[in-house]
């Protein structure tokens, strides 16, 4: 046994060797939770307290399940085939395969992934002749899955209005279609398994008596149905060993219930709560920052991370004039880090929203630094960006058949595969491009394609003479792309990416100085094509890692840059509209901070492009919640006098401050506090002396012009 416990600290050993009791293990970031889980299973089996068949261990990813099995095999000689270790969906599938008759399923039932499920819903709507604009397929899919994850069938949906009532009816039709076809979606796997165990007492008792120890990883990410499934299985006297960290619960948008951890402590009387607080990843200053930040959240179960690795370096804070200035600083630092001996693969650039990657990718590409976007597509590879670029390509060149085929029926306008086959045959016969051949197509198909041609011609006329950013914005809005993604429940991220495409156009004009809208559009499309080429690092090549904070969970790096730390960006502006939204954002920031081992950078900008226009930004509230003695504020050099329009604003702000024309030492770009409106940033000024007035962006309180002779403004 001594070898098994050799690498455990006292709280880990206490958790591993608990008797058969319910236990809640609060495992902080980098505290060795996987080691505790696998060592406990090994100890239980090795001491004969349970056979391998009597253990049920649940994880959230197949990767985590495989890692657990590998570690377990290294600890004790055990046949992995006899173990029930896997994801919620994988374990439920295993039960349903064994008891398909009792579950009302065919033996060969198939599983629908998200793409297949969406296709099945589209097919159903078409069969029922339902307007898919009023009931978008993706929105209906989320409606169905959300109710399944709460354990609710169609008949149990509370419908207080006709629209919801109709969606509940479509949910019922979808269930019937899946049953006829012998298929289940991912949410159905868990719900069907839960219902099977709930109604079939002999089967439930069989599994309750079999599994004497149930262990759960990442318990903070469980939804209400997953928690109910666990409680059902543990109802026969099994010991439920839940490992998680309420401070790292960041998946509320997927249905995760951080409250499950508090409910566990309340419902399982006498549950042992053990805190794993020793961190084996980060230096002390990084942990102190994370601890101080997360203490602002209410109703935490509470813990305090510490390390014996020493304080390490202070956390570096950089404020740029613009988001481009921020990106340039990040890339300069990356070069310096590599020169110091840091491996590029151990350097991560984190951001709150995928759209933020664009300016970082642009600067990395321009400076020849290999990079890899982790868990996502590079900016110019994203579906919504390729759609928008296809519309722009058709404006520039109607002969572009590839662009034509990409968007002729996106958003959907009733042009099916058969119509396109007829059009392509016509174009081949006429030795013409598809755009020109459309006039020769007749019937219903011809009318639908003609409508698309009219749309392109109208866009071409309406955008004539517009500057490139305004042209791109107009096409996104009037092509139907923006409306399409607004109709999707999770379309906000795609809309943010489309906004960033407008910013990319504005940046391109500033940097390249293109004047004529036609030549600017062609040049911008060329630029986009070049940046979308194979510039991402290949497999095995040392490369800087780019990712959202959500994608970074579970990972760790020697050096981490958290970018875009501004109010409305991180924390996200939507946080104010959601219950506990700011606390979820703070947990996300806590996850971001605790990804860093040795060096951490916190970066933000005074101004950032939005819709091609400059938006002045307030620093994130999270920067104020970190003790100042942990921070090193890096000096900001005045930018070289640029010809570029976007940096002219920042340069003007610097000059206004240098001139010192405003009373009280105030200047454009300064953060200030007002007794009534709160924190803001000065974005404009006019007059002087007693007549001086300033325009201040107070965020949620809006823009205000204030006379300095009457309004008291203090530097923040």
């Amino acid at each position: 046994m001594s070898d098994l416990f050799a690498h455990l600290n006292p709280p880990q050993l206490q958790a591993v060797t608990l008797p058969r009791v319910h236990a809640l293990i609060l495992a902080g970031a980098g505290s060795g939770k996987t080691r505790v889980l696998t060592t406990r299973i090994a100890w239980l089996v090795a001491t004969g307290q349970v056979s391998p068949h009597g253990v049920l261990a649940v994880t959230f990813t197949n990767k985590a399940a495989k890692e657990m099995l590998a570690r377990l095999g290294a600890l004790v000689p055990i046949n992995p085939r006899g173990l029930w270790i896997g994801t919620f969906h994988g374990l439920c599938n295993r039960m349903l395969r064994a008891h398909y008759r009792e579950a009302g399923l065919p033996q060969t039932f198939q599983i629908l992934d998200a793409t297949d499920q969406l296709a099945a819903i589209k097919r159903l709507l078409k069969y029922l002749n339902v307007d898919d604009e009023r009931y978008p397929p993706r929105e209906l899919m989320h409606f169905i899955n959300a109710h399944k994850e709460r354990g609710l069938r169609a008949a149990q949906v509370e419908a207080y209005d006709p629209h919801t009532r109709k969606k509940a009816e479509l949910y019922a039709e979808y269930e019937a279609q899946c049953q006829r076809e012998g298929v289940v979606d991912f949410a159905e796997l868990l719900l069907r398994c839960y219902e099977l165990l709930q109604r079939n007492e002999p089967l439930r008792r069989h599994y309750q008596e079999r599994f004497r120890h149930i262990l759960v990883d990442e318990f903070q990410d469980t939804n209400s149905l997953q928690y109910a499934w666990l409680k059902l299985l543990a109802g026969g006297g099994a010991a439920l060993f839940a490992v998680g960290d309420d401070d790292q619960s960041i998946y509320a948008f997927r249905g995760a219930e951080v409250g499950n951890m508090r409910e566990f402590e309340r419902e399982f009387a006498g549950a042992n709560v053990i805190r794993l607080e020793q961190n084996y990843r980060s230096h002390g200053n990084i942990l102190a920052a994370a601890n101080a930040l997360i203490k602002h959240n209410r109703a935490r179960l509470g813990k305090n991370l510490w390390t014996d690795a020493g304080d390490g370096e202070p956390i570096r804070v950089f404020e740029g004039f613009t988001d481009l200035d921020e990106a340039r600083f990040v890339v300069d630092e990356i070069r310096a880090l590599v020169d110091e001996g840091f491996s590029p693969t151990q350097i991560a650039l984190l951001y709150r929203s995928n759209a933020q990657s664009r300016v970082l990718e642009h600067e990395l590409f321009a400076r020849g630094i290999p990079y890899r976007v982790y868990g996502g597509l590079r900016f110019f590879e994203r579906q919504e960006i390729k759609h928008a670029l296809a519309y722009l390509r058709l404006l520039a060149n109607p002969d572009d058949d590839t662009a034509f085929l990409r968007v002729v029926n996106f958003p959907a306008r009733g042009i099916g595969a058969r119509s396109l086959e007829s059009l392509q045959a016509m174009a081949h016969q006429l030795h013409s491009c598809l755009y020109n051949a459309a006039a020769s197509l007749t019937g219903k198909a011809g009318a639908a394609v003609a409508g698309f041609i009219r749309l392109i011609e109208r866009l071409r006329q309406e955008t004539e003479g517009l500057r490139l950013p305004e042209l791109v914005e107009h096409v996104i809005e009037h092509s139907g792309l923006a409306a399409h993604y607004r109709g999707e429940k999770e379309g906000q991220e795609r809309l943010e990416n489309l906004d960033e495409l407008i910013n990319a156009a504005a940046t391109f004009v500033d940097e390249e100085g293109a004047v004529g809208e036609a030549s600017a559009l062609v040049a911008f499309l060329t630029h986009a094509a070049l940046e979308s080429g194979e510039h991402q690092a290949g497999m095995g090549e040392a490369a800087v890692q780019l990712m959202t904070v959500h994608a970074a969970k579970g990972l760790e790096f020697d050096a981490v840059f958290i970018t875009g730390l501004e109010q409305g960006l991180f924390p996200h502006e939507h946080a104010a509209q959601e219950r506990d939204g700011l606390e979820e954002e703070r947990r996300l920031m806590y996850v971001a901070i605790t990804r860093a081992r040795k060096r951490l950078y916190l970066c933000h900008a005074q101004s950032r492009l939005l819709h091609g226009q400059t938006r002045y930004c307030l620093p994130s509230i999270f920067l104020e919640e970190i003790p100042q003695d942990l921070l090193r504020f890096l000096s900001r050099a005045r930018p070289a006098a640029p010809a570029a329009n976007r940096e002219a604003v920042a340069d003007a702000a610097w000059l206004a401050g240098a001139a010192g024309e405003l009373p009280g030492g105030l200047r454009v770009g300064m953060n200030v506090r007002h007794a009534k409106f709160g924190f803001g940033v000065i974005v404009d000024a006019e007059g002087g002396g007693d007549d001086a007035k300033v325009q201040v962006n107070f965020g949620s309180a809006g823009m205000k012009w204030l006379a300095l002779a009457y309004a008291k403004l203090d530097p923040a």
Side-chain angles (χ1 to χ4, degrees):
M1 276 311 119
S2 59
D3 289 344
L4 200 58
F5 302 150
H7 301 292
L8 299 180
N9 63 38
Q12 289 174 338
L13 179 61
Q14 182 188 1
V16 165
T17 57
L18 280 171
R20 203 181 79 187
V21 294
H22 301 306
L24 178 61
I25 312 302
L26 288 176
S31 64
K33 66 179 178 63
T34 306
R35 179 188 303 168
V36 166
L37 275 165
T38 53
T39 307
R40 177 160 176 80
I41 296 172
W43 177 72
L44 289 170
V45 172
T47 55
Q49 297 181 62
V50 67
S51 74
H53 299 282
V55 174
L56 178 73
V58 191
T59 69
F60 267 84
T61 65
N62 289 317
K63 179 183 176 184
K66 289 177 181 176
E67 181 183 353
M68 193 178 294
L69 282 167
R71 288 200 190 189
L72 194 55
L75 292 172
V76 289
I78 195 169
N79 182 1
R81 291 187 178 182
L83 295 170
W84 280 63
I85 296 179
T87 65
F88 280 99
H89 294 114
L91 294 171
C92 286
N93 173 62
R94 187 169 174 176
M95 283 190 185
L96 291 174
R97 294 287 175 192
H99 309 287
Y100 64 91
R101 287 194 187 90
E102 295 91 333
L105 290 169
Q107 185 175 8
T108 57
F109 72 85
Q110 298 299 304
I111 300 171
L112 301 176
D113 62 17
T115 302
D116 293 334
Q117 185 186 13
L118 185 61
I121 290 172
K122 288 179 178 178
R123 181 159 42 84
L124 176 72
L125 294 179
K126 187 173 183 180
Y127 172 74
L128 297 174
N129 200 27
V130 173
D131 183 1
D132 62 3
E133 291 190 3
R134 182 164 171 73
Y135 298 96
R138 195 175 296 276
E139 183 181 304
L140 182 58
M141 181 173 78
H142 288 299
F143 176 87
I144 291 169
N145 291 343
H147 282 88
K148 286 188 178 186
E149 287 167 1
R150 289 165 53 200
L152 300 175
R153 290 294 183 190
Q156 299 168 296
V157 173
E158 294 182 354
Y160 298 108
D161 59 82
H163 188 72
T164 307
R165 202 154 38 244
K166 180 64 174 177
K167 286 199 287 189
E169 292 172 7
L170 292 170
Y171 176 10
E173 292 283 358
Y174 168 75
E175 284 187 305
Q177 174 179 286
C178 288
Q179 190 65 33
R180 282 194 309 272
E181 297 176 2
V183 296
V184 297
D185 54 50
F186 278 111
E188 181 71 17
L189 280 171
L190 186 59
L191 180 54
R192 184 74 66 114
C193 186
Y194 175 77
E195 290 172 339
L196 170 64
L197 293 171
Q198 190 178 47
R199 70 171 180 267
N200 191 317
E201 185 181 352
L203 193 63
R204 180 174 69 251
R205 195 162 51 245
H206 163 75
Y207 282 109
Q208 286 176 339
E209 291 173 358
R210 172 177 182 163
F211 298 128
R212 308 315 293 158
H213 288 270
I214 300 174
L215 301 94
V216 192
D217 191 11
E218 304 287 7
F219 187 69
Q220 77 280 352
D221 292 335
T222 54
N223 61 35
S224 55
L225 182 58
Q226 288 164 340
Y227 186 30
W229 183 80
L230 289 166
K231 288 192 290 184
L232 198 61
L233 285 169
L240 189 51
F241 187 89
V243 181
D245 183 1
D246 56 329
D247 292 333
Q248 293 190 76
S249 181
I250 59 173
Y251 295 117
F253 66 96
R254 293 183 188 168
E257 294 279 357
V258 65
N260 285 349
M261 298 191 76
R262 293 189 293 273
E263 287 297 304
F264 183 94
E265 188 180 24
R266 182 183 64 80
E267 290 185 68
F268 290 84
N272 292 273
V273 178
I274 297 176
R275 289 169 170 80
L276 305 183
E277 298 174 305
Q278 183 173 359
N279 177 281
Y280 293 93
R281 176 187 300 158
S282 307
H283 284 156
N285 285 336
I286 294 170
L287 298 180
N291 289 331
L293 174 93
I294 204 63
K295 281 179 181 174
H296 288 80
N297 274 4
R298 306 179 306 275
R300 295 174 58 233
L301 292 170
K303 63 186 174 315
N304 202 59
L305 297 178
W306 64 274
T307 181
D308 57 11
D311 291 340
E313 303 175 5
I315 297 164
R316 292 157 168 83
V317 180
F318 175 79
E319 179 186 37
F321 288 98
T322 66
D323 49 346
L324 186 57
D325 188 28
E326 177 193 49
R328 287 171 177 164
F329 163 78
V330 168
V331 174
D332 285 342
E333 282 297 303
I334 289 171
R335 284 192 176 280
L337 286 169
V338 173
D339 288 343
E340 281 184 49
F342 283 75
S343 166
T345 58
Q346 286 300 319
I347 301 172
L349 278 55
L350 307 185
Y351 35 81
R352 173 63 180 83
S353 301
N354 262 314
Q356 292 170 249
S357 78
R358 201 275 311 167
V359 68
L360 295 168
E361 287 187 60
H362 172 77
E363 195 62 24
L364 288 165
F365 169 62
R367 304 278 285 278
I369 296 178
Y371 69 91
R372 185 177 294 109
V373 178
Y374 181 93
L377 296 171
R378 289 174 298 152
F379 182 78
F380 284 106
E381 290 178 340
R382 294 167 191 164
Q383 178 206 82
E384 59 278 13
I385 300 302
K386 293 177 83 68
H387 285 332
L389 291 174
Y391 276 104
L392 294 169
R393 282 163 56 184
L394 281 177
L395 294 193
N397 176 22
D399 295 344
D400 189 336
D401 284 354
T402 302
F404 184 98
L405 288 170
R406 183 173 190 91
V407 294
V408 65
N409 197 43
F410 193 93
R413 45 180 68 90
I415 303 171
R418 192 166 298 175
S419 298
L420 289 176
E421 287 173 6
S422 300
L423 179 59
Q424 287 173 300
M426 183 69 70
H428 183 73
Q429 183 181 335
L430 297 172
H431 302 288
S432 166
C433 66
L434 297 174
Y435 195 92
N436 292 335
S440 304
L441 201 62
T442 58
K444 185 179 178 181
V449 175
F452 173 69
I453 299 297
R454 287 194 297 273
L455 169 65
I456 299 301
E457 291 298 328
R458 187 174 76 248
L459 290 174
R460 185 177 288 112
Q461 292 171 7
E462 291 169 350
T463 56
E464 188 175 351
L466 292 181
R467 290 182 68 250
L468 181 62
E470 286 77 22
L471 184 155
V472 174
E473 183 174 15
H474 186 92
V475 168
I476 289 170
E477 189 62 42
H478 294 86
S479 63
L481 284 178
H484 172 81
Y485 291 120
R486 286 190 196 108
E488 288 191 349
K489 182 177 179 181
E490 294 185 351
Q492 182 59 37
E493 186 174 290
R494 297 193 188 276
L495 289 169
E496 290 174 357
N497 283 332
L498 289 172
D499 283 346
E500 189 58 31
L501 183 65
I502 301 168
N503 298 341
T507 302
F508 179 78
V509 170
D510 288 346
E511 291 182 345
E512 302 299 324
V515 180
E517 71 279 358
S519 60
L521 176 58
V522 172
F524 177 63
L525 290 171
T526 301
H527 160 79
L530 291 172
E531 287 220 352
S532 65
E534 291 301 319
H535 302 303
Q536 187 163 233
M539 291 299 294
E541 182 180 0
V544 175
Q545 309 294 304
L546 275 68
M547 66 194 75
T548 63
V549 182
H550 280 102
K553 185 163 183 293
L555 304 176
E556 55 187 69
F557 304 92
D558 287 340
V560 169
F561 294 80
I562 306 175
T563 61
L565 280 170
E566 298 136 31
Q567 287 296 106
L569 194 56
F570 198 4
H572 199 278
E573 58 189 350
H574 291 158
Q577 304 165 14
E578 299 166 1
R579 181 176 64 88
D580 296 329
L582 181 58
E583 295 210 350
E584 176 101 352
E585 290 290 303
R586 190 175 283 113
R587 290 194 292 268
L588 196 59
M589 180 64 178
Y590 176 84
V591 167
I593 290 172
T594 54
R595 298 311 93 196
R597 291 195 195 102
K598 300 176 182 177
R599 192 172 295 184
L600 177 63
Y601 295 83
L602 308 178
C603 307
H604 64 105
Q606 291 181 356
S607 65
R608 192 172 292 272
L609 278 181
L610 183 67
H611 294 293
Q613 302 295 319
T614 300
R615 179 179 76 174
Y616 291 91
C617 309
L618 295 173
S620 171
I621 188 174
F622 299 149
L623 289 168
E624 300 175 15
E625 295 176 353
I626 297 173
Q628 301 298 290
D629 61 343
L630 299 175
L631 307 177
R632 175 190 295 169
F633 292 88
L634 303 181
S635 60
R636 186 181 63 233
R638 176 183 178 273
N645 293 336
R646 79 180 292 192
E647 289 196 350
V649 177
D651 203 42
W654 187 90
L655 289 171
E661 297 173 353
L662 298 175
L666 299 177
R667 58 178 173 79
V668 174
M670 177 178 281
N671 295 313
V672 292
R673 186 200 299 263
H674 186 272
K676 179 179 179 181
F677 303 122
F679 288 99
V681 59
I682 300 175
V683 299
D684 200 1
E686 61 182 40
D690 293 340
D691 296 326
K693 293 196 303 182
V694 293
Q695 186 182 34
V696 184
N697 180 358
F698 287 106
S700 59
M703 288 280 200
K704 311 287 182 185
W705 274 102
L706 302 173
L708 292 180
Y710 304 101
K712 180 169 173 55
L713 282 179
D714 297 314

